[in-house]
Short mmCIF file of all heavy atoms in Angstrom, two decimals:
data_model
loop_
_atom_site.label_atom_id
_atom_site.label_comp_id
_atom_site.label_asym_id
_atom_site.label_seq_id
_atom_site.Cartn_x
_atom_site.Cartn_y
_atom_site.Cartn_z
N ASN A 1311 -13.17 -123.85 -59.04
CA ASN A 1311 -12.41 -125.07 -59.33
C ASN A 1311 -12.68 -126.05 -58.19
O ASN A 1311 -12.23 -125.86 -57.07
CB ASN A 1311 -10.92 -124.74 -59.42
CG ASN A 1311 -10.08 -125.99 -59.72
OD1 ASN A 1311 -10.62 -127.07 -59.96
ND2 ASN A 1311 -8.77 -125.82 -59.72
N TYR A 1312 -13.44 -127.11 -58.53
CA TYR A 1312 -13.80 -128.10 -57.52
C TYR A 1312 -12.78 -129.22 -57.40
O TYR A 1312 -12.88 -130.07 -56.52
CB TYR A 1312 -15.15 -128.72 -57.86
CG TYR A 1312 -16.30 -127.75 -57.83
CD1 TYR A 1312 -16.81 -127.22 -59.00
CD2 TYR A 1312 -16.87 -127.36 -56.62
CE1 TYR A 1312 -17.86 -126.33 -58.99
CE2 TYR A 1312 -17.93 -126.48 -56.60
CZ TYR A 1312 -18.43 -125.96 -57.79
OH TYR A 1312 -19.47 -125.09 -57.78
N HIS A 1313 -11.80 -129.29 -58.32
CA HIS A 1313 -10.92 -130.46 -58.41
C HIS A 1313 -9.73 -130.30 -57.49
O HIS A 1313 -8.68 -129.80 -57.86
CB HIS A 1313 -10.46 -130.65 -59.86
CG HIS A 1313 -11.60 -130.89 -60.81
ND1 HIS A 1313 -12.19 -132.12 -60.98
CD2 HIS A 1313 -12.28 -130.02 -61.60
CE1 HIS A 1313 -13.18 -132.01 -61.86
NE2 HIS A 1313 -13.26 -130.74 -62.25
N MET A 1314 -9.87 -130.83 -56.28
CA MET A 1314 -8.78 -130.81 -55.32
C MET A 1314 -8.16 -132.21 -55.30
O MET A 1314 -8.86 -133.20 -55.08
CB MET A 1314 -9.29 -130.43 -53.92
CG MET A 1314 -8.19 -130.37 -52.87
SD MET A 1314 -8.86 -129.97 -51.22
CE MET A 1314 -9.37 -128.30 -51.51
N PRO A 1315 -6.85 -132.33 -55.57
CA PRO A 1315 -6.21 -133.67 -55.63
C PRO A 1315 -6.38 -134.43 -54.31
O PRO A 1315 -6.27 -133.85 -53.24
CB PRO A 1315 -4.75 -133.35 -55.90
CG PRO A 1315 -4.75 -131.97 -56.48
CD PRO A 1315 -5.89 -131.25 -55.85
N VAL A 1316 -6.68 -135.72 -54.44
CA VAL A 1316 -6.79 -136.61 -53.28
C VAL A 1316 -5.43 -137.29 -53.05
O VAL A 1316 -4.85 -137.85 -53.98
CB VAL A 1316 -7.90 -137.66 -53.47
CG1 VAL A 1316 -7.94 -138.61 -52.29
CG2 VAL A 1316 -9.24 -136.98 -53.69
N PHE A 1317 -4.96 -137.24 -51.82
CA PHE A 1317 -3.68 -137.87 -51.51
C PHE A 1317 -3.93 -139.31 -51.03
O PHE A 1317 -4.67 -139.54 -50.08
CB PHE A 1317 -2.95 -137.09 -50.42
CG PHE A 1317 -1.67 -137.74 -49.98
CD1 PHE A 1317 -0.55 -137.76 -50.80
CD2 PHE A 1317 -1.60 -138.37 -48.75
CE1 PHE A 1317 0.62 -138.37 -50.38
CE2 PHE A 1317 -0.42 -138.98 -48.33
CZ PHE A 1317 0.69 -138.98 -49.15
N ILE A 1318 -3.27 -140.28 -51.75
CA ILE A 1318 -3.41 -141.71 -51.41
C ILE A 1318 -2.02 -142.26 -51.14
O ILE A 1318 -1.15 -142.24 -52.03
CB ILE A 1318 -4.07 -142.50 -52.55
CG1 ILE A 1318 -5.44 -141.85 -52.90
CG2 ILE A 1318 -4.24 -143.97 -52.18
CD1 ILE A 1318 -6.12 -142.52 -54.08
N PRO A 1319 -1.75 -142.72 -49.90
CA PRO A 1319 -0.41 -143.23 -49.58
C PRO A 1319 -0.05 -144.46 -50.46
O PRO A 1319 -0.92 -145.21 -50.90
CB PRO A 1319 -0.51 -143.62 -48.11
CG PRO A 1319 -1.69 -142.83 -47.60
CD PRO A 1319 -2.63 -142.74 -48.73
N SER A 1320 1.23 -144.67 -50.67
CA SER A 1320 1.70 -145.82 -51.47
C SER A 1320 2.08 -147.00 -50.58
O SER A 1320 2.32 -148.10 -51.07
CB SER A 1320 2.91 -145.41 -52.32
OG SER A 1320 3.97 -144.95 -51.49
N ALA A 1321 2.16 -146.78 -49.25
CA ALA A 1321 2.51 -147.89 -48.35
C ALA A 1321 2.02 -147.54 -46.96
O ALA A 1321 1.82 -146.37 -46.63
CB ALA A 1321 4.02 -148.12 -48.34
N PHE A 1322 1.83 -148.59 -46.13
CA PHE A 1322 1.53 -148.37 -44.73
C PHE A 1322 2.04 -149.56 -43.94
O PHE A 1322 2.31 -150.63 -44.50
CB PHE A 1322 0.02 -148.14 -44.53
CG PHE A 1322 -0.84 -149.36 -44.63
CD1 PHE A 1322 -1.48 -149.89 -43.50
CD2 PHE A 1322 -1.02 -150.02 -45.85
CE1 PHE A 1322 -2.27 -151.01 -43.61
CE2 PHE A 1322 -1.83 -151.12 -45.94
CZ PHE A 1322 -2.46 -151.63 -44.82
N SER A 1323 2.24 -149.38 -42.62
CA SER A 1323 2.85 -150.43 -41.80
C SER A 1323 2.01 -150.62 -40.55
O SER A 1323 2.26 -149.97 -39.53
CB SER A 1323 4.29 -150.05 -41.44
OG SER A 1323 4.30 -148.79 -40.77
N PRO A 1324 1.01 -151.49 -40.57
CA PRO A 1324 0.12 -151.70 -39.41
C PRO A 1324 0.77 -152.55 -38.33
O PRO A 1324 0.35 -153.68 -38.06
CB PRO A 1324 -1.09 -152.37 -40.03
CG PRO A 1324 -0.54 -153.11 -41.21
CD PRO A 1324 0.58 -152.32 -41.75
N ASN A 1325 1.88 -152.00 -37.71
CA ASN A 1325 2.60 -152.75 -36.70
C ASN A 1325 2.35 -152.25 -35.28
O ASN A 1325 3.01 -152.64 -34.35
CB ASN A 1325 4.11 -152.70 -36.98
CG ASN A 1325 4.60 -151.26 -37.10
OD1 ASN A 1325 3.87 -150.33 -36.80
ND2 ASN A 1325 5.85 -151.08 -37.56
N GLY A 1326 1.39 -151.34 -35.13
CA GLY A 1326 1.00 -150.89 -33.81
C GLY A 1326 1.92 -149.86 -33.19
O GLY A 1326 1.80 -149.59 -31.99
N ASP A 1327 2.86 -149.29 -33.97
CA ASP A 1327 3.76 -148.29 -33.38
C ASP A 1327 3.18 -146.88 -33.43
O ASP A 1327 3.82 -145.92 -33.01
CB ASP A 1327 5.11 -148.30 -34.10
CG ASP A 1327 5.00 -147.92 -35.58
OD1 ASP A 1327 3.85 -147.70 -36.05
OD2 ASP A 1327 6.05 -147.81 -36.26
N GLY A 1328 1.97 -146.77 -33.92
CA GLY A 1328 1.31 -145.46 -33.96
C GLY A 1328 1.71 -144.60 -35.12
O GLY A 1328 1.27 -143.45 -35.21
N VAL A 1329 2.57 -145.15 -36.01
CA VAL A 1329 3.02 -144.38 -37.17
C VAL A 1329 2.58 -145.10 -38.43
O VAL A 1329 2.97 -146.25 -38.67
CB VAL A 1329 4.55 -144.19 -37.15
CG1 VAL A 1329 5.00 -143.41 -38.37
CG2 VAL A 1329 4.99 -143.47 -35.88
N ASN A 1330 1.72 -144.40 -39.22
CA ASN A 1330 1.28 -144.93 -40.52
C ASN A 1330 0.70 -146.34 -40.37
O ASN A 1330 0.97 -147.22 -41.17
CB ASN A 1330 2.45 -144.93 -41.51
CG ASN A 1330 1.97 -145.00 -42.96
OD1 ASN A 1330 0.83 -144.63 -43.25
ND2 ASN A 1330 2.83 -145.47 -43.85
N ASP A 1331 -0.13 -146.54 -39.33
CA ASP A 1331 -0.71 -147.85 -39.08
C ASP A 1331 -1.95 -148.11 -39.92
O ASP A 1331 -2.40 -149.26 -40.01
CB ASP A 1331 -1.09 -147.98 -37.60
CG ASP A 1331 0.13 -148.16 -36.70
OD1 ASP A 1331 1.13 -148.69 -37.20
OD2 ASP A 1331 0.06 -147.75 -35.52
N VAL A 1332 -2.54 -147.04 -40.48
CA VAL A 1332 -3.82 -147.19 -41.20
C VAL A 1332 -3.67 -146.62 -42.59
O VAL A 1332 -3.08 -145.54 -42.79
CB VAL A 1332 -4.95 -146.47 -40.45
CG1 VAL A 1332 -6.27 -146.60 -41.20
CG2 VAL A 1332 -5.09 -147.03 -39.04
N PHE A 1333 -4.22 -147.34 -43.57
CA PHE A 1333 -4.24 -146.89 -44.95
C PHE A 1333 -5.55 -146.11 -45.14
O PHE A 1333 -6.63 -146.68 -45.18
CB PHE A 1333 -4.18 -148.10 -45.89
CG PHE A 1333 -4.33 -147.75 -47.36
CD1 PHE A 1333 -3.64 -146.66 -47.90
CD2 PHE A 1333 -5.16 -148.49 -48.19
CE1 PHE A 1333 -3.78 -146.35 -49.24
CE2 PHE A 1333 -5.29 -148.17 -49.52
CZ PHE A 1333 -4.61 -147.11 -50.05
N ARG A 1334 -5.42 -144.74 -45.23
CA ARG A 1334 -6.62 -143.91 -45.41
C ARG A 1334 -6.34 -142.79 -46.41
O ARG A 1334 -5.20 -142.46 -46.71
CB ARG A 1334 -7.10 -143.31 -44.10
CG ARG A 1334 -6.07 -142.49 -43.34
CD ARG A 1334 -6.76 -141.65 -42.26
NE ARG A 1334 -7.63 -142.39 -41.40
CZ ARG A 1334 -7.30 -142.92 -40.22
NH1 ARG A 1334 -6.07 -142.76 -39.77
NH2 ARG A 1334 -8.17 -143.57 -39.49
N LEU A 1335 -7.42 -142.21 -46.92
CA LEU A 1335 -7.33 -141.14 -47.92
C LEU A 1335 -7.09 -139.79 -47.22
O LEU A 1335 -7.60 -139.52 -46.15
CB LEU A 1335 -8.63 -141.06 -48.73
CG LEU A 1335 -9.06 -142.38 -49.40
CD1 LEU A 1335 -10.36 -142.18 -50.15
CD2 LEU A 1335 -7.99 -142.89 -50.35
N ARG A 1336 -6.34 -138.94 -47.87
CA ARG A 1336 -6.03 -137.61 -47.35
C ARG A 1336 -6.55 -136.52 -48.32
O ARG A 1336 -6.78 -136.77 -49.49
CB ARG A 1336 -4.51 -137.44 -47.18
CG ARG A 1336 -3.83 -138.58 -46.42
CD ARG A 1336 -4.16 -138.56 -44.95
NE ARG A 1336 -3.41 -139.58 -44.23
CZ ARG A 1336 -3.56 -139.86 -42.96
NH1 ARG A 1336 -4.45 -139.17 -42.27
NH2 ARG A 1336 -2.84 -140.80 -42.37
N ASN A 1337 -6.70 -135.28 -47.75
CA ASN A 1337 -7.07 -134.09 -48.55
C ASN A 1337 -8.49 -134.17 -49.09
O ASN A 1337 -8.77 -133.72 -50.19
CB ASN A 1337 -6.07 -133.88 -49.70
CG ASN A 1337 -6.04 -132.41 -50.13
OD1 ASN A 1337 -6.23 -131.54 -49.31
ND2 ASN A 1337 -5.81 -132.16 -51.40
N ILE A 1338 -9.38 -134.74 -48.30
CA ILE A 1338 -10.80 -134.77 -48.68
C ILE A 1338 -11.56 -133.93 -47.66
O ILE A 1338 -11.50 -134.20 -46.47
CB ILE A 1338 -11.35 -136.21 -48.72
CG1 ILE A 1338 -10.67 -137.00 -49.83
CG2 ILE A 1338 -12.85 -136.19 -48.92
CD1 ILE A 1338 -11.14 -138.44 -49.91
N SER A 1339 -12.26 -132.88 -48.12
CA SER A 1339 -13.03 -132.03 -47.21
C SER A 1339 -14.45 -131.84 -47.72
O SER A 1339 -15.42 -132.26 -47.09
CB SER A 1339 -12.33 -130.68 -47.02
OG SER A 1339 -12.15 -130.03 -48.26
N TYR A 1340 -14.60 -131.20 -48.87
CA TYR A 1340 -15.93 -130.94 -49.39
C TYR A 1340 -16.42 -132.04 -50.32
O TYR A 1340 -17.58 -132.06 -50.72
CB TYR A 1340 -15.94 -129.59 -50.13
CG TYR A 1340 -14.97 -129.52 -51.29
CD1 TYR A 1340 -15.32 -130.02 -52.54
CD2 TYR A 1340 -13.71 -128.97 -51.13
CE1 TYR A 1340 -14.43 -129.96 -53.59
CE2 TYR A 1340 -12.82 -128.91 -52.18
CZ TYR A 1340 -13.18 -129.39 -53.42
OH TYR A 1340 -12.31 -129.34 -54.46
N GLN A 1341 -15.52 -132.99 -50.73
CA GLN A 1341 -15.92 -134.04 -51.67
C GLN A 1341 -16.73 -135.14 -50.96
O GLN A 1341 -16.67 -135.29 -49.75
CB GLN A 1341 -14.69 -134.68 -52.35
CG GLN A 1341 -13.75 -133.70 -53.03
CD GLN A 1341 -12.58 -133.30 -52.16
OE1 GLN A 1341 -12.77 -133.09 -50.95
NE2 GLN A 1341 -11.40 -133.19 -52.75
#
Side-chain angles (χ1 to χ4, degrees):
N1311 180 5
Y1312 296 101
H1313 299 278
M1314 181 182 292
V1316 177
F1317 175 72
I1318 304 176
S1320 59
F1322 75 111
S1323 57
N1325 55 10
D1327 63 357
V1329 179
N1330 200 23
D1331 286 333
V1332 179
F1333 175 44
R1334 56 165 51 94
L1335 306 179
R1336 310 288 185 185
N1337 205 32
I1338 295 179
S1339 58
Y1340 59 84
Q1341 306 96 320

